[in-house]
Amino acid sequence: MARRVLVTGASRGIGLAILQRYEQAGYEVLAPARAEVDLASPPSIRGYLDRLGDLPVDALVNNAAENHVRTLQDLTLEEWQRMQAINLTAAFLLIQRLGPRMANRGWGRIVNISSCYSLVARTGRAGYTASKAGLNGLTMAAALELAHGKVLVNAVCPGFVDTELTRQNNSPEQIEALCGQVPLGRIAAPEEIAEMVFFLGSEMNTYATGQTFTVDGGFVIQ
Ligand SMILES: NC(=O)c1ccc[n+]([C@@H]2O[C@H](COP(=O)([O-])OP(=O)(O)OC[C@H]3O[C@@H](n4cnc5c(N)ncnc54)[C@H](OP(=O)(O)O)[C@@H]3O)[C@@H](O)[C@H]2O)c1
């Protein structure tokens, strides 16, 4: 029987490329739209999980996120809390419910989509960087707690990727400038991130757990 993966935020960008990569490998993909689950809302997440019931989910990719670029002075509490809710708390709630069930079945893969801005920061990224650094921490703790059930939990830190999120937060001139800051000289295609996510979140990965893997063209090593 085909394995089943749940991918959040798969309507576009990196999430859509991840969905397509799993489909290509024959996985059944659950990709709830925002109308089915609002990841900013714990009650909405719990309601969605309740509706899933006992349906086996073999792999989970926590991909959905928001990024409000504001200086510390301008960042509102609501924006801060919204980023923590979508980028970190939603991943916690999904792992808390689905992780132990994977462990009970003796196999599971969880991949959290973090960011190069969990490892380094940039002006205006306080809320986003805090949420993604938290996600790296959650990755390690969950990997330890779920290892007994052969559930491998990892994070992927993309660098600059050609998506709406990137275009929304950077002008075309800024994107050009970003390319100049990347040792490989360009930003990534979403499919290049999806390939690493699929490796970690499938049968291909047999021994890596609790790690954060950076896929950024060399940006953070400078
Ligand atoms: N793009 C980059 O350069 C880059 C770099 C580093 C890390 N990342 C990370 O990679 C992941 C994907 O980024 P992306 O650029 O592909 O993002 P994107 O194009 O902005 O897409 C975000 C996805 O998340 C969903 N989403 C956001 N808030 C939601 C909510 N409250 N409830 C349900 N769904 C929600 C969106 O759904 P709707 O369609 O309903 O809006 C959409 O499917 C994120 O975790 C991001 O932090 C991206």
Side-chain angles (χ1 to χ4, degrees):
M1 211 167 59
R3 290 202 191 274
R4 186 177 291 115
V5 61
L6 169 56
V7 184
T8 66
S11 65
R12 53 191 151 88
I14 295 170
L16 180 60
I18 294 168
L19 174 156
Q20 289 167 342
R21 183 63 185 85
Y22 274 102
E23 278 185 346
Q24 195 187 318
Y27 273 63
E28 183 185 322
V29 183
L30 301 175
R34 196 187 287 252
E36 287 169 81
V37 56
D38 176 5
L39 295 164
S41 157
S44 173
I45 295 169
R46 292 213 168 99
Y48 173 72
L49 287 167
D50 289 346
R51 289 197 297 284
L52 279 187
D54 293 330
L55 190 73
V57 176
D58 305 295
L60 166 67
V61 181
N62 288 304
N63 165 76
E66 272 189 15
N67 182 0
H68 300 270
V69 179
R70 304 263 187 282
T71 60
L72 280 174
Q73 249 180 333
D74 293 338
L75 185 66
T76 66
L77 178 60
E78 288 68 30
E79 288 168 334
W80 166 274
Q81 286 175 332
R82 198 171 159 79
M83 282 188 277
Q84 308 317 313
I86 298 169
N87 304 2
L88 180 55
T89 307
F92 158 64
L93 291 171
L94 291 170
I95 291 171
Q96 185 184 47
R97 183 79 68 93
L98 299 177
R101 292 184 184 179
M102 293 176 193
N104 284 341
R105 290 195 304 278
W107 194 93
R109 299 288 182 269
I110 297 173
V111 184
N112 296 319
I113 309 305
S114 184
S115 169
C116 62
Y117 287 131
S118 69
L119 307 169
V120 295
R122 181 178 169 194
T123 301
R125 263 56 174 196
Y128 184 74
T129 290
S131 70
K132 294 294 191 178
L135 194 56
N136 296 353
L138 173 64
T139 300
M140 290 189 284
L144 280 177
E145 289 198 26
L146 297 172
H148 70 92
K150 313 284 179 281
V151 179
L152 310 187
V153 187
N154 291 286
V156 170
C157 296
F160 308 115
V161 187
D162 194 358
T163 68
E164 278 176 42
L165 194 72
T166 301
R167 291 175 201 280
Q168 179 189 309
N169 290 322
N170 299 277
S171 66
E173 295 73 33
Q174 283 173 314
I175 291 180
E176 193 61 38
L178 288 177
C179 292
Q181 291 174 38
V182 178
L184 288 185
R186 62 177 178 85
I187 63 175
E191 291 73 21
E192 294 178 284
I193 309 303
E195 203 57 42
M196 175 64 103
V197 174
F198 180 73
F199 173 82
L200 292 169
S202 70
E203 296 81 355
M204 292 173 83
N205 177 22
T206 55
Y207 203 58
T209 194
Q211 306 302 308
T212 62
F213 292 87
T214 306
V215 185
D216 69 346
F219 176 67
V220 303
I221 57 169
Q222 300 170 97

